[in-house]
Amino acid sequence: MNIEELINQGNASIVDVRSPEEFQGGHAANSVNIPLQEVPQRIEELKAMKGPLVLCCASGNRSGQAEQFLSGYGIQCYNGGSWFDVNYVQSKNA
């Protein structure tokens, strides 16, 4: 299943791993901001989210790091890349 299918089905939670300042400057609709450096301390919160998780950031680098880390904890997650891309997929179905 690809990112677009996950988002279109509405079964995924979107997690933006950018800084709070970046997030405030714009973000994908219905996304939650959990900065990359806070991910290790917020594992239980992430596990409790409706899954799978679609992770995004500015370019896909930080969300890729988060994906590797969270996958190690058995959390089903995918690197959605840029929040612009995630937002675009959402807007096509709005």
Side-chain angles (χ1 to χ4, degrees):
M1 185 172 296
N2 67 34
I3 301 300
E4 190 165 349
E5 290 172 336
L6 288 170
I7 293 170
N8 290 342
Q9 290 176 357
N11 296 327
S13 293
I14 300 170
V15 180
D16 190 320
V17 297
R18 296 176 300 147
S19 71
E21 296 78 20
E22 289 173 292
F23 187 78
Q24 288 174 353
H27 55 270
N30 302 315
S31 61
V32 176
N33 182 223
I34 299 181
L36 180 61
Q37 66 272 17
E38 294 180 16
V39 167
Q41 294 81 32
R42 297 175 73 175
I43 290 287
E44 293 307 315
E45 181 181 347
L46 288 156
K47 282 183 180 178
M49 289 182 171
K50 181 174 80 171
L53 304 180
V54 174
L55 307 164
C56 62
C57 62
S59 67
N61 185 19
R62 286 174 281 182
S63 52
Q65 292 175 47
E67 178 189 22
Q68 285 187 318
F69 181 81
L70 293 171
S71 294
Y73 280 87
I75 297 174
Q76 185 182 11
C77 57
Y78 300 91
N79 182 357
S82 165
W83 74 269
F84 287 111
D85 295 338
V86 172
N87 203 44
Y88 174 71
V89 169
Q90 289 178 313
S91 70
K92 290 194 317 187
N93 297 313

